Amino acid sequence: MGIHYVFIADDLGIASIYPALKDRLAKQGHTHVSLLYCAAHSSYEFQRELEILQKHFPTRLLVYYYLKKSTGQWTIQQSEIEAVLNANTMRQMSFIISGNGLFTANVKELLLFLGIENVAIQEQYFTE
């Protein structure tokens, strides 16, 4: 049975989910991993590591980068999450969110609106 892991993180959450993302890729089996990564600035933590992983797993790992708008709003839109949902080819999807409280709440609310109720919240290993 195939599974598509969808990680959604901000600057604070990326350090907490990166090990889990890497672990999902290292395991054998039919898995896809997508990362929707929001940053406040154009410098993304773990960008080099993510690029290396994309080269090792070109058909299993997709990374999408988003910048926080000058208004303070995150740029992940409902249509972008819908695109990931619509392009899914696996039987099962698993959603993991990691980030500051407001980011996590907003993403979870959007996923609930899209009918996705089983969402995991990754605890923060580090704090602001």
Side-chain angles (χ1 to χ4, degrees):
M1 171 169 55
I3 186 163
H4 183 175
Y5 295 97
V6 181
F7 292 91
I8 305 172
D10 67 2
D11 290 320
L12 181 62
I14 191 66
S16 298
I17 65 157
Y18 179 76
L21 181 149
K22 196 170 68 167
D23 182 59
R24 297 308 190 286
L25 288 169
K27 290 184 178 175
Q28 295 295 327
H30 299 290
T31 60
H32 288 167
V33 176
S34 294
L35 170 63
L36 286 71
Y37 179 14
C38 296
H41 306 288
S42 60
S43 62
Y44 295 92
E45 296 294 325
F46 296 99
Q47 183 171 3
R48 283 192 168 158
E49 292 89 341
L50 290 167
E51 289 170 356
I52 291 168
L53 287 175
Q54 283 182 294
K55 287 179 182 172
H56 282 294
F57 303 100
T59 62
R60 293 182 50 213
L61 174 63
L62 295 170
V63 180
Y64 305 91
Y65 295 96
Y66 304 93
L67 280 176
K68 191 174 184 180
K69 293 181 183 176
S70 59
T71 61
Q73 299 296 315
W74 293 102
T75 59
I76 290 184
Q77 301 296 319
Q78 177 179 330
S79 61
E80 293 168 3
I81 293 176
E82 287 174 337
V84 172
L85 292 170
N86 292 335
N88 178 53
T89 59
M90 294 292 170
R91 293 178 132 185
Q92 184 179 356
M93 294 184 84
S94 176
F95 291 84
I96 303 98
I97 307 169
S98 185
N100 73 50
L102 182 59
F103 173 80
T104 299
N106 287 340
V107 171
K108 185 171 183 181
E109 182 179 316
L110 180 55
L111 292 173
L112 286 172
F113 177 78
L114 293 172
I116 300 160
E117 297 178 1
N118 191 9
V119 177
I121 307 296
Q122 173 67 50
E123 285 187 42
Q124 299 303 306
Y125 297 147
F126 308 97
T127 58
E128 292 179 277

